[in-house]
Structures are given as structure tokens and as C-alpha cells.
Amino acid sequence: MVTTAHPAASSGASPTAITATRALAFRHLGPNWYASVMGTAIIANAGATLPYRFPGLRTGCTIVWALSFLMLAVLLTARAAHWIHHRDQARTHLLDPTVAPFYGCLSMALLAVGGGTLIVGRDWIGTTAAVAVDTVLFTVGTLIGLAAAVAIPYLMVVRHCIAADQASPVWLLPVVAPMVSAAVGPLLIPHLPAGQAQQTMLYACFAMFGLSLLATLVMLPVIFARLVTAGPLPLALTPTLFLVLGPLGQSTTAANKFADFAPHVVTAPLDRGFLVFAVLYGVPVMGFALMWLALAGAMVVRARRRGMGFAMTWWAFTFPVGTCVTGAEGLGKHTGLVAFDWLATALFVFLVTAVAVALTHTLRGVITGRLLAAPR
């Protein structure tokens, strides 16, 4: 559906009328759009720590981080306009079980961009500014993520009317947000005062790791049961199967980050315990992630053959895969196995390709107005 210029914008209408008309463009701008920020930012975060160095890789990652930062700023402004001018629609989104879970994407977008600021953004803005920016984004993103992890399931129980065959991988979005905090939070540890402050950050991230992991383990059986009893997802929702990779890859990444920073924070044998945990947890979880990647990929090929076209759900091909890249990178570092380095590199190539495709289609949809039109 292509929108056309509103008469008020071309007939000498008053500035108030023009402003109101432009505000209509944000009426159907849902929280799912934050997935585009997450998917873009993860390229910078994953590419900067690849085990293989390529000329211009870090510079390219920094450019992508800057793009994700700009996208976040634009989207935050647009979403603010949505809440100001279309509060009725915003409330409708919260009460819609297919849209409300995407509020977890706001948290993850803030956290992903914040982590990228400290990983590569410091090359351009300096370490002091990068720490300040990441501190703000991490704090706000974590608070929003924890709130979403409680509020959205609460709404699902007491306000949403959900049938058994409506279970979807999208349900994972609010509960996986604290896992992103757990994965990027350790980056701030070296910049905190030694002792209690660093230990509190480490154990807080570990607690969020457990919160998100256990919530995911509660939801995954429900999602898989829906698939085997009700059949494949609708074509447009098929890419959301990749969302299952998010908690798998992100938890592996978090476990490896704990192993990286624990030796500087806690004493033996706890420091070694985090390393052992990272390997004994991460390797089997990465194995399951690869199995799910194959299953989800087969379902996507099937849907594509049946006419699946582009939708914003295609961004599910990006951030979850990116977390598997960072998870494989961490396992390669801690096990010394080249196989994990190869896996990380192969998944990174897929990630870059997926982001390029999704971003191109998204820009085209915004320009034509199709993606901003009312859903059909």
C-alpha cells in the first residue's frame, strides 16, 4: 500500500494542519521498528571482535555503529511523536498480544548501541565520552528491559486474550532483554571502582542472566508445542523463528563475558568457575542454536517458496544471528578451537548480508510509505 501526499501539505494549509498531517505518518509506527536498530548495531559489536582481522574492518564497524546511533536517535524521536499524537494507538499496541512483546526491542536497541559505543565508538569520541554514553544507555535500557520482562507477561496473563495456537517466538522479546544487559554490562566493569562496585555489576549481570534464561526455558516449550500441533507459522511471521537464536547466542555471549572479567573482580576459585561455566554451558547451547538455525532456515525456505514477501519481521534474521556470532567468538577464545572461529566468521557474513537486505527493503518501504501505512 503506497501513501500519497495529503492535500493539506500541498494546498497552502496552515502550519498546524501540516503538522497534524505529518504526525499521521507516525500513527502505525510500532515498537517493532527498534529491531532495525538492534540488527544494525550488532554488526559493529560482532565485527569488532572477530577472530580474523581484515583491512578496514574496525573502521567499517565504527561507521555502522554511527549509523545505528543515528537510527536510534531518529526512531526515539519518531516514537515520541507517536505517543504524543497517537496515544490511543499506543495503548492499542500495549493491549495487542502480537505487538506488545516488541516493547522489549526498545531496551535491546539502547543496550546494543551503548555496547557498540564502548567497543568501537570510543575510537571516534574518546573513552571518557564513550563510557558516559554507554552508562546512560545501559542504565535506561536495563531498567526498561526489566520493566518489560515483568509488565508484558503480566499483560499477556490478565489483559490479552490469547489462544493456544497464537504462541509465537515474538513472546521471547521482553524476557530476552535482560540477557542483553547481562552480556554488555561487563564492558563497564573496568570503568567502575574496584571492589564492591565491580562485584555488584558482575553479580547483577549474572542475576539477569538467570532471570532471562529461566523465563526463556518456560516459554520455549510452549512455542515449540504450538509449531508441532498447529503447523507452520503464517508466511509473514516465519522469520520470527530466528528469534529463538537470540537467548541462545546472547546467553553464550554473556557467559563468556563473565569469564573475561571475573578474574579481575572475584578471587579464586570463583574466577575459574566462571571460565568453566562459560565452556560447559556455551558449547552445548551453541550446538542447539545450530540445530535451531537449520530448522528455522528450512522453514524460511519453505515459506519463501510459498510467496513470503518482505516484512519488518525480516529483521529477525539479524540481531539473533549476531548474538550467535559473539557467542561463537567467545567460545573460540576460551576453548582455542578454530572451528568456533570459522563458525563466527561464517555467521558474520550471513549477518552482514541479512542486514543489507533488510535495510534496503526497509528504506524502500519508508520512501514509498508502504511500511508506514495501516496494517492490513
Side-chain angles (χ1 to χ4, degrees), residues 235-364:
L235 295 183
L237 291 179
T238 302
T240 64
L241 290 170
F242 274 66
L243 294 177
V244 176
L245 297 176
L248 303 175
Q250 198 65 274
S251 62
T252 303
T253 301
N256 281 283
K257 291 300 182 184
F258 301 153
D260 287 339
F261 291 95
H264 309 289
V265 178
V266 298
T267 58
L270 287 176
D271 58 343
R272 296 292 299 174
F274 277 107
L275 175 59
V276 172
F277 174 75
V279 175
L280 295 185
Y281 172 85
V283 173
V285 169
M286 187 58 64
F288 178 74
L290 292 177
M291 183 278 287
W292 190 270
L293 176 62
L295 174 63
M299 297 295 289
V300 167
V301 171
R302 174 187 178 278
R304 187 65 172 164
R305 289 175 175 173
R306 284 164 172 74
M308 180 187 75
F310 175 76
M312 288 298 289
T313 52
W314 280 36
W315 282 101
F317 297 137
T318 60
F319 188 81
V321 174
T323 67
C324 292
V325 175
T326 54
E329 290 170 351
L331 290 176
K333 175 182 177 181
H334 292 131
T335 64
L337 293 178
V338 178
F340 284 116
D341 296 340
W342 293 345
L343 175 62
T345 304
L347 290 176
F348 183 74
V349 172
F350 177 91
L351 169 65
V352 173
T353 303
V355 171
V357 172
L359 187 59
T360 299
H361 281 283
T362 301
L363 289 174
R364 183 181 301 137

Side-chain angles (χ1 to χ4, degrees), residues 86-183:
H86 306 290
R87 293 181 184 177
D88 61 322
Q89 186 67 21
R91 286 191 294 269
T92 299
H93 284 166
L94 279 173
L95 298 178
D96 186 340
T98 64
V99 179
F102 284 100
Y103 272 92
C105 291
L106 168 58
S107 167
M108 291 185 279
L110 294 168
L111 294 166
V113 174
T117 304
L118 206 52
I119 295 173
V120 295
R122 58 188 173 89
D123 293 351
W124 286 3
I125 66 176
T127 300
T128 301
V131 170
V133 171
D134 187 33
T135 299
V136 172
L137 294 180
F138 173 79
T139 302
V140 176
T142 298
L143 292 176
I144 293 175
L146 291 173
V150 175
I152 301 305
Y154 174 83
L155 289 174
M156 292 171 67
V157 173
V158 303
R159 297 297 299 273
H160 297 165
C161 296
I162 302 174
D165 62 355
Q166 289 180 296
S168 165
V170 171
W171 290 5
L172 295 172
L173 291 173
V175 299
V176 78
M179 188 66 79
V180 181
S181 293

